[in-house]
Amino acid sequence: MNNFNDKQIDILLVAEKLFAQKGFDGTSIRNISKEAKINIAMVSYYFGSKEKLLEGLILFRIQDLKLKLENLYKEKLKPLEKINKFIELYIEKIDQNKDIYQILHFELSSNKRAMNLKAFTDIKRGNLSSLYKIIEEGQIQKIFKKDINIPLLTPTILGTYFHFQTSKPFFMEILNLNTDEQYNQYIKTDLTKHIQQTIKSLIANEN
Amino acid sequence: MNNFNDKQIDILLVAEKLFAQKGFDGTSIRNISKEAKINIAMVSYYFGSKEKLLEGLILFRIQDLKLKLENLYKEKLKPLEKINKFIELYIEKIDQNKDIYQILHFELSSNKRAMNLKAFTDIKRGNLSSLYKIIEEGQIQKIFKKDINIPLLTPTILGTYFHFQTSKPFFMEILNLNTDEQYNQYIKTDLTKHIQQTIKSLIANEN
DNA sequence: TTGTTTAAATTAAACGTTTGTTTAATATCT
DNA sequence: AGATATTAAACAAACGTTTAATTTAAACAA
């Protein structure tokens, strides 16, 4: 689909790691070449330029960011169960793709490079629309409250996760998480549960 | 206290704006000099280097990031009112200092530069400790639930705000906020209220 | 108020590196 | 043999920083 060969994907993965770690401007082609063990000319050879490498990376990853939510909507679950599954899938997906999310969010806010981030925006719009459907279903069943500011739920779900990631060293210390494994496990269990609980108590009619 | 003269502060303010906008690595000394209408040598003259300029900026701003929470704790308010005021003050403070927060969070996550961000961590620790006091007071009065994951409340409060800011263009579009003024007003009213409502329904025993 | 002296501020120019990119030659594969 | 891949070397441009000269400001004695 994307016509990237194995060598190109190697480069993309290294670039993704470094861009997320040190930023696009903080990463040089020589950094990438060294880490990927290739000649510096290969980046231009395969991608044309550093910017096009970034565009290629986004193109490469963007398809994987789409949540499988069509199925979720059709599943025979109670609205609250759907919400919980929605959050679980969402956090899981973001956690798997945190590097590209970090990059995209920085590019989005910096708008230094005039990139076409429409595909990313479209995904966010699609996810929001899925959330609308689930919640409106719950509202009809009078399980959910009527006055819910649905567009602000996403910032709470994603924002909680991202802020937790951004302040990783801080939370590792105060939560006594001593290894990366413990930290990742905490996200999968406690943090996800916290977010689910947060959204639930915000939208559900009774506890 | 910081011994920065007017000219130095001029430079710091320009640097803050550009660092937040385009990142530290994405901003050159020549960018700053041009915007501040000074000679490029002046940055080295006043601050020594580009990195020390960043350190100076953090030093310059860090004192203003401290919340005035000692007073809040002593005020004669109900626990829930204290929480609401806590959130309002917190968001207001961050909103006023969003540029330096953006810079600090990026530096914190990138750890490209081995900076001493202890002062920033200390502030966060202090704010968290204030939150503990308020909530424990409410728990004693049996107004708040017993099983609250207090350290995760901050990611929800700040994360919601920051994610809203990061995706500013997206939310301006879907919320039909056409000017920066409308956007800022929405933060002060609706977003702050949303966060207060979120935390309230998460920690309060009944609605 | 003078003129003189000393320190601080400002400038243009140059420094050596590093940057992204291109070239031209060589190697590898089909 | 011909296309593709890989390399070392070179390119101009931009980078952070330093230098040395000049201007401005402050201090001081007459």
Side-chain angles (χ1 to χ4, degrees), chain B residues 135-150:
Chain B
I135 289 185
E136 282 166 359
E137 188 190 358
Q139 284 174 325
I140 290 170
Q141 298 180 29
K142 302 197 172 171
I143 298 168
F144 293 162
K145 291 177 190 163
K146 276 196 168 183
D147 59 332
I148 300 172
N149 195 337
I150 302 177

Side-chain angles (χ1 to χ4, degrees), chain A residues 82-151:
Chain A
K82 280 189 187 174
I83 287 286
N84 280 337
K85 198 159 186 181
F86 178 89
I87 293 172
E88 189 191 329
L89 288 174
Y90 214 161
I91 297 294
E92 197 178 280
K93 179 64 74 176
I94 293 170
D95 199 43
Q96 283 164 359
N97 296 280
K98 54 187 165 227
D99 280 354
I100 189 69
Y101 262 99
Q102 159 93 11
I103 297 166
L104 284 168
H105 273 132
F106 185 79
E107 289 304 313
L108 206 69
S109 69
S110 83
N111 68 296
K112 213 196 159 198
R113 283 156 286 283
M115 314 211 56
N116 187 12
L117 299 172
K118 190 179 172 301
F120 187 46
T121 309
D122 285 347
I123 287 174
K124 290 165 82 176
R125 216 187 306 270
N127 292 343
L128 180 56
S129 135
S130 301
L131 186 58
Y132 260 100
K133 282 187 198 162
I134 300 175
I135 287 185
E136 282 165 357
E137 188 189 359
Q139 284 174 325
I140 290 170
Q141 297 181 29
K142 302 199 172 170
I143 296 168
F144 293 161
K145 291 177 190 164
K146 278 198 167 182
D147 58 332
I148 300 173
N149 195 335
I150 301 177

Side-chain angles (χ1 to χ4, degrees), chain B residues 23 73 152 167:
Chain B
Y73 177 64
L152 292 189
S167 303

Side-chain angles (χ1 to χ4, degrees), chain A residues 16 72 74 79 112 151 161:
Chain A
E16 182 182 40
L72 173 58
K74 289 168 193 160
K112 213 196 159 198
Y161 169 82

Side-chain angles (χ1 to χ4, degrees), chain B residues 12-179:
Chain B
L12 287 174
L13 294 180
V14 170
E16 182 181 40
K17 196 185 99 185
L18 294 179
F19 287 165
Q21 212 169 84
K22 313 195 287 174
F24 179 79
D25 290 309
T27 307
S28 72
I29 290 189
R30 283 169 178 81
N31 290 152
I32 298 169
S33 306
K34 194 172 182 180
E35 182 99 2
K37 289 166 188 165
I38 53 161
N39 189 278
I40 52 166
M42 296 307 289
V43 170
S44 292
Y45 178 74
Y46 275 127
F47 298 97
S49 70
K50 192 188 173 188
E51 289 233 358
K52 279 181 185 165
L53 168 65
L54 175 60
E55 287 173 26
L57 173 60
I58 295 173
L59 204 66
F60 173 66
R61 281 292 189 215
I62 205 83
Q63 60 198 4
D64 192 46
L65 297 184
K66 282 173 197 147
L67 284 174
K68 306 287 175 345
L69 294 168
E70 313 80 26
N71 311 331
L72 173 58
Y73 177 64
K74 289 169 192 159
E75 281 185 43
K76 281 179 185 171
L77 294 169
K78 294 175 189 170
L80 196 58
E81 290 171 338
K82 280 189 187 174
I83 287 287
N84 280 336
K85 197 156 187 183
F86 177 90
I87 293 171
E88 188 192 329
L89 289 175
Y90 214 161
I91 297 296
E92 196 178 281
K93 179 64 75 176
I94 292 169
D95 198 43
Q96 284 164 358
N97 295 281
K98 54 187 166 231
D99 280 354
I100 190 67
Y101 262 99
Q102 158 92 13
I103 296 166
L104 283 168
H105 273 132
F106 185 80
E107 289 304 314
L108 207 68
S109 69
S110 82
N111 67 295
K112 213 195 158 200
R113 281 157 287 284
M115 312 211 58
N116 187 12
L117 299 172
K118 191 181 172 298
F120 188 45
T121 308
D122 284 347
I123 287 174
K124 290 166 82 176
R125 213 187 306 271
N127 293 344
L128 179 56
S129 134
S130 300
L131 186 58
Y132 259 101
K133 281 186 197 164
I134 299 175
I135 289 185
E136 282 166 359
E137 188 190 358
Q139 284 174 325
I140 290 170
Q141 298 180 29
K142 302 197 172 171
I143 298 168
F144 293 162
K145 291 177 190 163
K146 276 196 168 183
D147 59 332
I148 300 172
N149 195 337
I150 302 177
L152 292 189
L153 294 182
T154 327
T156 294
I157 297 169
L158 298 195
T160 302
Y161 168 82
F162 279 119
H163 192 268
F164 190 77
Q165 280 287 7
T166 307
S167 303
K168 181 174 172 179
F170 179 74
F171 286 109
M172 284 187 79
E173 191 191 323
I174 66 166
L175 293 174
N176 207 33
L177 305 169
N178 301 309
T179 64

Side-chain angles (χ1 to χ4, degrees), chain A residues 139-200:
Chain A
Q139 284 174 325
I140 290 170
Q141 297 181 29
K142 302 199 172 170
I143 296 168
F144 293 161
K145 291 177 190 164
K146 278 198 167 182
D147 58 332
I148 300 173
N149 195 335
I150 301 177
L152 292 190
L153 294 183
T154 326
T156 295
I157 297 170
L158 298 193
T160 302
Y161 169 82
F162 278 119
H163 192 269
F164 190 77
Q165 279 287 8
T166 307
S167 303
K168 182 173 172 180
F170 179 74
F171 286 110
M172 283 188 80
E173 192 192 322
I174 67 165
L175 293 175
N176 207 31
L177 306 168
N178 301 309
T179 65
D180 275 10
E181 205 173 309
Q182 285 180 36
Y183 179 76
N184 290 330
Q185 189 56 38
Y186 189 88
I187 290 175
K188 223 174 222 169
T189 55
D190 300 61
L191 184 68
T192 300
K193 210 173 291 172
H194 164 76
I195 296 173
Q196 288 171 333
Q197 178 62 35
T198 302
I199 300 299
K200 177 195 163 192

